[in-house]
Amino acid sequence: MTCWSDMAYDALERITSFLPLTDHHRFSAVCKNWRLVAKQKRHYPAPQLPWLVLGDEPGTGKRKFYNLSEDKHYAMDIPELYGRYICGSSHGWLIAIDIKLTGILINPFTREFYELPLFPQDNLGLPAHQNVPVDYGDFEKLQVIIVQKAILSHDPKERPDFTLMILVGWKRVPAFWKPGDSSWTVISAPRIKDVIYFYGHFYFVTNHNALLFLDFQPDPKVHDITSLHIRLRDPTSERYLVDYFGNLLLVERVVDWICLEKGHSKTLRKWHSKTRYFNILRLDFEKKKVYRSKTIGEAAIFLGTNDSIVINPNDLVPGCKYKCKTKSIYFTEVAKSLFVGKFDMGIFNTSEKTFSTFYPPEIHHSRVGAPIWFTPNPW
């Protein structure tokens, strides 16, 4: 009888191609030969649904993750993330900030990391409707609001000359950092709603529906793409740029603000944003036109502080495939205010125009626990 550990290498390779990440790790723990197969970089785990990064596990400091495919939580001991607020997710890496307003770029599975310089602090200011004085010595609050989004141009393991782009403060001023830089380079731009790295360029969408791209040479500067006329009515809505299988989408999330607690001062009340609807636009650079779409087809889109993620359920292994709701937008959002008590998150079916949940709705604001989508990258 053939021993399991003596199975042919080709057969073991074939097995790993059907395993999601957690089963891939279990596979590697069987024996030495299986571990050698699992560690080969060309044998990535099968495509899977993103995980949700949550807060610290009480009493342990371990970071909690929610595996959507398995409907299961995992607690990982990652000392580099103790007390840090995660402000971005891109290419399987997390961007986190500490109370000293310095940061770290880390792959939580390989534990490889880059230390980031002090974040820019000249563009913080609160939105006009809030008008609450900020104690700039209260770093625990500042780490929550200072970086609104952070994305990478490339996976640092694949391209060591990557660029990390962030949106700073309430005005979401763009700034970037490259390995070797001692500080952030801040870019002059109108108020930005979102950023994406698409076909070799960083693109931005502004509060007034302008689409910009960043030109690094000779000096970093944004340029307006005037050939595309984007018409969205609600200036307070959230907007996301999405790489939809090589097409650039602009997704608008229309929200209502609901007062949770009435305080003595209107500005000190707690608020909750409630998503009301999504609008989907396809931006066609060649034809210089903007098309409005009613649905996103059979795919699923994951939106939030993360670099936007698009999943084709047909690419997933069966165990994950049937957990993914097609034609749907999975969304989660960090609190945009120091006085927001709950997170707005759920699933919007673009075909039926209905909402549902993927996680218990009673998640409340945590200094280190804003929910964010994350695609595990064990290499």
Side-chain angles (χ1 to χ4, degrees):
M1 178 180 293
T2 302
C3 178
W4 283 102
S5 61
D6 295 331
M7 285 184 63
Y9 193 89
D10 290 347
L12 293 174
E13 282 186 322
R14 181 64 174 168
I15 292 172
T16 61
S17 67
F18 291 98
L19 300 179
L21 178 63
T22 50
D23 288 338
H24 197 275
H25 278 276
R26 295 176 184 122
F27 176 96
S28 68
V30 171
C31 64
K32 181 179 180 180
N33 286 343
W34 288 32
R35 184 162 55 253
L36 291 174
V37 174
K39 285 187 174 181
Q40 294 298 314
K41 189 174 179 179
R42 64 178 180 274
H43 308 311
Y44 286 96
Q48 61 188 307
L49 293 175
W51 291 23
L52 196 65
V53 186
L54 302 172
D56 289 349
E57 189 175 59
T60 68
K62 293 182 178 180
R63 181 67 60 161
K64 293 188 294 184
F65 293 81
Y66 173 67
N67 185 338
L68 186 63
S69 300
E70 298 180 327
D71 190 19
K72 185 177 180 180
H73 291 85
Y74 291 92
M76 297 175 58
D77 190 14
I78 310 172
E80 295 87 351
L81 292 180
Y82 287 174
R84 293 182 186 266
Y85 184 87
I86 296 177
C87 54
S89 164
S90 186
H91 291 279
W93 293 66
L94 299 176
I95 300 92
I97 186 171
D98 61 22
I99 62 173
K100 296 181 180 179
L101 303 189
T102 58
I104 188 172
L105 170 66
I106 185 171
N107 183 322
F109 283 91
T110 66
R111 301 287 290 278
E112 295 171 276
F113 68 91
Y114 295 81
E115 292 185 352
L116 303 175
L118 184 71
F119 285 101
Q121 301 172 50
D122 296 333
N123 302 282
L124 286 179
L126 293 169
H129 74 272
Q130 195 166 310
N131 195 27
V132 178
V134 175
D135 179 2
Y136 282 75
D138 190 345
F139 293 135
E140 291 191 358
K141 289 182 179 178
L142 283 182
Q143 69 172 340
V144 174
I145 68 172
I146 191 169
V147 179
Q148 299 291 314
K149 190 152 190 172
I151 69 168
L152 292 164
S153 62
H154 305 88
D155 181 350
K157 289 291 290 184
E158 301 293 336
R159 287 278 300 271
D161 58 340
F162 66 91
T163 301
L164 173 60
M165 181 69 67
I166 61 174
L167 301 181
V168 182
W170 295 110
K171 296 180 180 180
R172 300 188 185 184
V173 175
F176 68 87
W177 173 86
K178 296 181 178 182
D181 291 352
S182 59
S183 62
W184 296 88
T185 300
V186 178
I187 305 165
S188 177
R191 184 177 178 182
I192 301 297
K193 281 290 189 177
D194 197 27
V195 57
I196 191 173
Y197 189 77
F198 181 75
Y199 279 99
H201 291 283
F202 282 102
Y203 289 89
F204 307 88
V205 61
T206 73
N207 196 44
H208 296 289
N209 303 327
L211 188 67
L212 315 174
F213 77 94
L214 175 62
D215 185 2
F216 283 98
Q217 301 296 334
D219 296 309
K221 185 178 180 181
V222 294
H223 300 275
D224 194 341
I225 302 177
T226 58
S227 59
L228 291 175
H229 301 287
I230 302 170
R231 294 180 176 86
L232 294 173
R233 296 180 180 178
D234 188 350
T236 64
S237 65
E238 291 300 321
R239 283 150 210 181
Y240 306 89
L241 292 169
V242 180
D243 182 352
Y244 186 84
F245 307 115
N247 294 292
L248 186 60
L249 300 185
L250 174 58
V251 179
E252 178 189 34
R253 182 171 68 96
V254 182
V255 301
D256 292 326
W257 284 93
I258 303 168
C259 183
L260 296 178
E261 296 178 9
K262 292 185 178 180
H264 296 292
S265 169
K266 182 178 180 181
T267 57
L268 295 179
R269 296 173 182 174
K270 284 192 175 181
W271 298 84
H272 171 49
S273 62
K274 182 68 175 178
T275 299
R276 178 160 47 93
Y277 196 75
F278 282 88
N279 291 308
I280 305 163
L281 304 179
R282 180 169 63 86
L283 312 181
D284 191 323
F285 290 96
E286 292 186 1
K287 295 182 179 180
K288 301 179 181 179
K289 291 185 177 181
V290 177
Y291 300 93
R292 190 172 293 269
S293 301
K294 295 183 178 180
T295 182
I296 59 170
E298 297 301 315
I301 296 178
F302 294 79
L303 302 179
T305 309
N306 55 285
D307 201 351
S308 300
I309 301 168
V310 179
I311 296 292
N312 181 354
N314 292 325
D315 292 337
L316 302 174
V317 294
C320 297
K321 178 179 180 179
Y322 302 113
K323 289 280 188 177
C324 182
K325 295 188 177 181
T326 61
K327 307 176 183 178
S328 295
I329 297 173
Y330 290 71
F331 62 95
T332 181
E333 192 62 48
V334 301
K336 291 294 188 295
S337 164
L338 302 177
F339 304 100
V340 170
K342 294 196 303 182
F343 292 102
D344 182 17
M345 50 198 295
I347 307 172
F348 177 71
N349 186 298
T350 60
S351 179
E352 300 175 0
K353 314 303 180 188
T354 57
F355 287 89
S356 58
T357 61
F358 62 85
Y359 196 82
E362 59 270 13
I363 295 182
H364 289 264
H365 178 75
S366 166
R367 180 174 60 83
V368 295
I372 183 172
W373 293 113
F374 164 71
T375 303
N377 179 2
W379 285 276

